Amino acid sequence: MTARSRPGLPLARIDAIDDVLGRPPPPPPAAPTPRRAAAPEEPADPDQVLRDYVLAPYPPLAPVAGGLAAVNLLIESFAIAGVEAAGAAVLARLRAQLGPGRVVWGVKLNSRGLVAEPPSIPADPGSSLPPRRETGRGPALSWELYVYDPGGERPEARPAAVLAALADVLATPTLPTAPVPHHMWSLELDAAALTSGAGARLTYYTSGADTPGASRSYALADGQLALGNLYTFHDPRREPDAILARLRASVHLAGAPRGAAAVIAPGLHRCRRLCVANKRHADGLYFAGVDTDRTIGFLREHGWPAPLVGYLAERRGRLRHLAWDLALDAARGADGAPHILRTAIHASA
Amino acid sequence: MPARDPLRVVRPDAGANPRRPGRELLLTFAFRCNFACRFCYVEDGLGGRFRGVTLDEAARLLADPALTAGVTRIVLSGGEVTLDKDLPAYVALARAVPSVEHVRVQTNASRLGDAALVAGLRAAGVDEFFVSLHGADAATCDAITGVAGSFAAIVAGLDQLAAVGATVVTNTVVCAANVAQLPAIVALAHAKGARAAELWGYVPRVDAADARAQLVRVTEAAPHLRQAVIDGLARGLAMTVKYFPRCLLGDVAHVHSDAQPRLVIDDAFWQDYPTYGCLYEGVCAAANVDDGCSGLADAYVRRFGWEEDALAPAIEADAAPPPVARYHDWDDRPPPAAAPPPPDLAPWQLAIGAELAGHRLAAVTRDGAAVRLRFVGAAGAVAIDLHPRDPTRPCFARTASLDLTHPPLADAALIAARPLFAAIAAHLATRDDGTLQAALAAPPAPAQDAPPLWPPAWPAAADPIVAAVLAVAAELCSRGLLDPAVVEPSIALGAVDAPRLLLNPAVPGPGRDRAAIAARLLAAAAAPPAVIALARAWLAEPTRGALLGVAAAAGGPARAKLYLATPRAADRAAAAALLGGPAPAADVSQLAVDAVGERVVAYKHYAPLTAAAARATHAGALTALVDARGLLLGELPLLGCTRLAPDGAVLDRALHVDVRRFAQLGLGVAWAEAADDARAAARIAASGRATRVLSETLGAATGRHVYLGGAR
């Protein structure tokens, strides 16, 4: 039993009443089910600074000793998608090139059966890119790997250097001749990109120094850069009105019968940082700093593959030190309400 | 995406319910019931599935002062506790707790039509009955309880309790089934002799998906709830509303309280307990107080949304920033100032507990420049604010030196409070000889021992000049002219026994003559008169900043250093004019002078560095340490220091890295260990101070420093 004094709050136990009453401890949990990934699980490193999806450091939410690294989820997702070897090879090259804790990764689930999202660049007759179409094959996982290079201080983080390091494990786009100013850049991958030589898509992200609080992305295709997304970052505790204003101004996110709750689930409103993104075919939200328990609920709610959710759920005790970054994209449906197209989970490796 | 400072969030632990003096403890047992209420939030525990506190366990618990100290009310609940034959024994145990004034039974009253049962419970020590009354008529009530005839049984119980004059508080769960009946329910409670009525928003614990559709839109419920409260207050009931957004209660918001007793219940109860929240909780003053508003249940949000257009945060003018949470421990902000002590009531011949016109003075607090008297009467709480007399202020009464006002009240509450207003006005007027206003002023904060400026674990600063500076700094701190946090010790690696200090005399504050403060400190540091004059001249301009450094040197006198902040071109020009020496470049943000005696030996120009520039021109052991610890230079403030001879020749360059964001990584110790200075590492570890800055003079065997934070 526990004596508590306030409902609805994440209170710690106040009294160890069980000790007072002399009750037996609960039985130990059952052994976890086997992983899909073949590679050994990577333990968490207590000496490594934990970083979120913008490489901002955060303190562990629980003692790190004995825990698991967040990257195990990425590896498990590769395994579930049947591309463990290829995915792990790309990750290993990136980590070797950039150093520990410098790779931000995201796993994405397309909720509407799209193999890939609608192209950010509309296909035109002159484009060599094949238009991406809905295949109706069911939810599919994809990935995005982010390389952070604030201040341009790290030659090894520049796209040319990284792509060279990946050359024999991943087909990558041709870079512009002149360097593109950026704060971060990313590679979008799917199973085809990892296994069949289909190209990964490269995107540059600006820091938003010119538009305080905002950031932009530019997708690279055929040597051309096309404006992709606009991001604004907010403190959900102190800026509820700013966040609501962004939602109300969104053609995709406004007008839901339940208002903001259509995209801000209970609990996610207490994330560490909330990003609102305007994208070409949808608008999105990013919730930074979500604990493992709530992350498991998010993935379960949005229909993530049971093995992946189970992997996290059965290991939640060893993942409690981590704060995850969750995302969703939603587009206006025929009914005028936002429909969630895609969800994602991010962390660093 | 750009990095941002991490968010910080807090939910303070609630303790006592300020609406009821003292503390409450609730014990649970008898998890069975003769009703089947649709919204029961222990439904899954009934049938004995929740383990209740046995008599033996209750005896042990209630004998534990850690649990019972200060408890004035013990509440017994289940299930339906009147079904338990041992209820009188539990009551007796509760009554035996020395501090307990009230023993309350939570019950559906269905068995309390039995006069003998009621008499037995009262004889055992029950003095309060918390009766569930969820409908104003049989159709509504029986539909909610799921038991035909339940309403009749409840009414019979209420009648019996009224017949014996028992204290009855009714409890109504506001749900879809009864929301339109709330005023009628309160009227019924009053008619049956209740002294208080509580209206609780439905807590969707068992039916988290609201499959039973018990949740009601708060915007729909609010008018009924407000009317029920107004009617109840008008009838003289003490009213309480829980688990309903406070901001929707309008002018009866003062009856809102989400506080609960400390609850001793099977842990299984908490496993599915709903979480509450609100999009505005971070900015709403009502959300961050002890009995404050919890917001909306998750199940409500999932069904209806956040109600962001209906709810409105209570924003207090000049409110302090929202509290920060222990979710993130990297909080290097100073602790908030302690709340000012409550006013001394003796000059007003008042005291807590004093009775005036049927109202009892329950609390006195400061509310900005005013003092708030909080009276509690039969109609509820009434606040009266006392202000310094101001003929231009609207008020309901004015004495020789005071204005009396009150917050807005509903008509019925206003009528009920008028006798109190008249009584307090008369009370103060007859005692106010023009001096009562003085009691409004907060007394000066008691002098507190300043924290030691020099880390207590360190040997005393051996250098007499550094010791003299510390003594002057301590005196200035005790007078509030200097903040302990700006007296920062530092260590020169390889010369740990040579004490060093960095001080900021330029923080503005009341009564602070910054130039004079700097001059005193520099004089204590035996700085040349020219440097002292320089500091006076520089800080005479109120917008300028400066730092002072004192560094002992082995075998030589301690050296004083003056650092002039030059973030603007005009500052740089002015500094160059005052200091002489080489002209600073446009990016120089700080200029410094090294002096030995009367002689300027070097000029230092500090300029921010980009990470790329730092790697290009200041790469060394320090940048290697940063890399090795997995940090990014680009995320750390970097300062390059160029030391120049008076003739402009570059003597050396140094890199300063601000690592305060990563205080928990022990980088000061790591830097000392990298310099093979175990003594310095030990001293840094023992200092109890966070590491602020690491520096390295390039190409020099010496020239590595660790700058620590000041005392807090």
Side-chain angles (χ1 to χ4, degrees), chain B residues 25 28 66 86 88 93 96 145 197 282 284 300 311 331 384 390 405 415 448 501 572 575 673-674 687:
Chain B
L25 179 68
T28 59
D86 292 325
L93 287 174
T145 65
C284 180
Y300 184 98
L311 305 186
D331 187 354
I384 295 173
D390 179 355
T405 68
I415 293 170
Q448 295 178 349
L501 287 173
R572 283 189 290 278
E673 289 172 344
S687 69

Side-chain angles (χ1 to χ4, degrees), chain B residues 20 104 129-132 167-171 194-198:
Chain B
R20 300 194 185 102
R104 174 178 291 193
F129 293 85
F130 193 71
V131 174
S132 301
T167 297
V168 172
V169 179
T170 61
N171 171 235
R195 300 193 188 175
E198 298 199 4

